[in-house]
């Protein structure tokens, strides 16, 4: 696995491309769904070949992918602090609400068009609404946009989406697994919100304690304490039905107010990049190209319908932060990517089949649609960000004001 990731990473660097699509595609190629289906000879030039040469989804890879999400969102949190978040709450609220009001109803309409019933439509709405915090954060870092003005509306909207999706997942989980029990849904939402309140309080008042926790000259202890804290809180979130990504973001935000943030970033950056690569590889590994091909029509319709809605809401979100047309265009392109949360919702659909709340063919089709949609949108989103220049120029010429920025 690591050899193939390193090889395609080198290739992407040589071609000047984003590594993310390469990691996803090599994961798909190495999976049981591609290499595993090849009719390979038992031996080659007299040398016996292994019976299984494909990579399986082991517990190690699944855990590595989870850590990739945790570290990416942890670093996203390090770029924020609570005071800065609260100072821009009006703009974040405006951009996030615009994003929700445009994209969630579009997803509901698509879901009803595809499946003709309420629960599948609700799941499809979540799949197409939520952008990928992990992939977008990685792209911002790779492109050097993380310190630019457009990073603030992008990250602010992602925070809004992540908080909202924590509630969404609690409701969706109760509806899918609990047979639509409103009491269970309300209890799950209450637990999620209470946990988030505890995290906010820790971020606001925990700075002195975090300062003492990291007051050491040992790099080993700093790494262990940062990883231990992030993974512990993320694990607690998962146990309570809250997104581990949201929890990791709050841990990063808590440490952003300390004097150790730069040292933590420098020491944990290799870990973040390693496990982020495993996360993207895992997306490809669990993607069956034949299942995706079977849902190609749904995916094509969804891509054509939801890429423009994300571009529109992203552009308006940039404007809500008083950015010019060019930087708002960058915001628009960045928000098109979908990823990890959509896959989590896809697993809910499969669980719904087992629980009897969703018919088998519908659940399987939603799952195939989600993985294919995530794969296509991950490639489209990262490519749009990498080659944003012509789009920025066109938007600037049509809607912009004179700008001296390069």
């Amino acid at each position: 696995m690591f050899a193939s990731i390193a090889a395609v990473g080198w290739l992407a660097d040589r071609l000047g491309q984003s590594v993310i699509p390469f990691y996803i595609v090599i994961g798909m190629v190495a999976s049981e769904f591609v290499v595993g289906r090849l009719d390979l000879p038992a031996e080659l030039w007299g040398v016996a070949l292994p019976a299984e040469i494909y990579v399986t989804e082991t517990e190690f890879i699944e855990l590595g992918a989870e850590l990739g999400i945790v570290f990416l969102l942890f670093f996203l949190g390090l770029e924020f602090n609570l005071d800065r978040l609260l100072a821009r709450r009006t703009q974040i609220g405006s951009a996030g609400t615009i994003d929700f009001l445009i994209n969630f109803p579009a997803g509901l309409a698509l879901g009803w068009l595809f499946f003709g019933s309420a629960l599948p439509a609700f799941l499809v709405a979540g799949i197409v609404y939520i952008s990928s915090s992990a992939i977008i954060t990685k792209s911002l870092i790779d492109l050097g946009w993380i310190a630019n003005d457009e990073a603030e509306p992008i990250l602010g909207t992602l925070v809004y989406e992540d908080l909202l999706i924590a509630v969404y997942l609690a409701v969706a989980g109760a509806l899918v697994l609990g047979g639509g029990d409103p009491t269970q849904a309300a209890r799950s939402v209450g637990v999620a919100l209470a946990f988030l309140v505890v995290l906010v309080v820790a971020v606001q008042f925990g700075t002195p304690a975090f300062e003492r926790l990291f007051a050491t000259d040992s790099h080993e202890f700093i790494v262990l304490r940062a990883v231990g804290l992030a993974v512990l809180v993320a694990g607690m979130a998962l146990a309570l039905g809250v997104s581990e990504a949201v929890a990791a973001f709050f841990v990063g935000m808590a440490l952003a107010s300390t004097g150790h943030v730069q040292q933590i970033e420098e020491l944990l950056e290799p870990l973040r990049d390693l496990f982020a690569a495993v996360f993207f590889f895992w997306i490809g590994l669990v993607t069956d190209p034949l299942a995706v091909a079977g849902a190609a029509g749904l995916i094509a319709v969804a891509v054509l319908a939801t890429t423009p809605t994300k571009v529109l809401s992203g552009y308006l979100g940039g404007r809500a932060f008083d950015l010019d047309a060019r930087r708002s265009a960058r915001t628009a392109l960045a928000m098109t990517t979908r990823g990890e949360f959509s896959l989590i919702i896809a697993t809910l659909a499969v669980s719904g089949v087992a629980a009897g709340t969703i018919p088998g063919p519908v659940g399987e089709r939603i799952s195939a649609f989600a993985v294919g949609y995530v794969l296509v949108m991950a490639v489209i989103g990262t490519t749009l960000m990498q080659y944003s220049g012509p789009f920025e120029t066109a938007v600037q010429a049509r809607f912009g004001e004179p700008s001296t920025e390069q």
Side-chain angles (χ1 to χ4, degrees), residues 275-286:
F275 287 110
V278 174
F279 164 68
F280 297 119
F281 181 89
W282 171 79
I283 290 180
L285 195 65
V286 298

Side-chain angles (χ1 to χ4, degrees), residues 172 300 303 336:
V303 169
T336 58

Side-chain angles (χ1 to χ4, degrees), residues 20-21 23-25 28 135 280 283-284 287 289 292 299 338-339 343 369-382:
I20 294 172
Y23 291 159
I24 295 174
V25 170
M28 184 184 294
I135 299 176
F280 297 119
I283 290 180
T287 302
V292 173
I299 296 168
R338 273 65 154 205
L343 295 176
F369 162 73
V371 292
Y373 180 72
V374 165
L375 180 63
V376 173
M377 293 310 299
V379 174
I380 289 178
T382 53

Side-chain angles (χ1 to χ4, degrees), residues 141-280:
I141 295 168
D142 289 348
L143 294 171
W145 292 7
I146 195 71
N148 292 353
D149 291 342
E150 61 269 21
E152 196 153 17
I154 294 171
L155 299 181
T157 306
L158 290 177
V159 170
Y160 185 103
E161 284 188 354
D162 288 352
L163 293 175
L164 194 60
I165 208 68
V167 177
Y168 169 90
L169 287 176
V171 174
L175 292 175
V176 171
L177 304 176
D181 183 353
T183 303
Q184 183 176 342
R187 188 184 301 119
S188 299
V189 171
V191 170
L193 292 178
F195 186 70
L196 292 176
V197 169
V198 170
L199 291 180
V200 170
V201 171
V203 171
Q204 179 66 16
F205 300 105
T207 302
F210 294 127
E211 287 281 8
R212 290 193 294 274
L213 180 63
F214 288 89
T216 172
D217 294 329
S218 169
H219 289 177
E220 176 184 351
F221 290 153
I222 289 177
V223 170
L224 288 174
R225 291 171 192 180
V227 172
L229 183 63
V231 173
L232 175 65
V233 177
M236 292 170 62
L238 274 178
L240 294 172
V242 181
S243 164
E244 77 277 31
V246 176
F249 171 80
F250 276 103
V251 174
M253 200 161 59
L255 300 186
S257 301
T258 71
H260 307 284
V261 59
Q262 185 175 354
Q263 195 175 23
I264 292 171
E265 284 181 331
E266 291 173 355
L267 292 173
L268 264 63
E269 185 177 325
L271 278 178
R272 179 202 64 194
D273 293 341
L274 175 66
F275 287 110
V278 174
F279 164 68
F280 297 119

Side-chain angles (χ1 to χ4, degrees), residues 114-140:
F114 291 163
F115 300 104
S117 58
L119 187 53
F122 186 65
L123 296 179
V124 172
I127 290 169
V128 304
Y129 160 62
I130 187 75
S131 302
S132 172
S133 302
I135 299 176
I136 293 172
T137 303
K138 172 70 171 162
S139 297
L140 287 175

Side-chain angles (χ1 to χ4, degrees), residues 1-12 19 21-31 35 53-55 61 277-278 280-282 285:
M1 177 184 71
F2 286 116
S4 61
I5 290 174
V8 297
W10 171 83
L11 179 62
V19 295
F22 284 76
Y23 291 159
I24 295 174
V25 170
I26 193 60
M28 184 184 294
V29 171
S31 72
V35 173
I53 62 171
Y54 56 85
V55 180
I61 295 176
V278 174
F280 297 119
F281 181 89
W282 171 79
L285 195 65

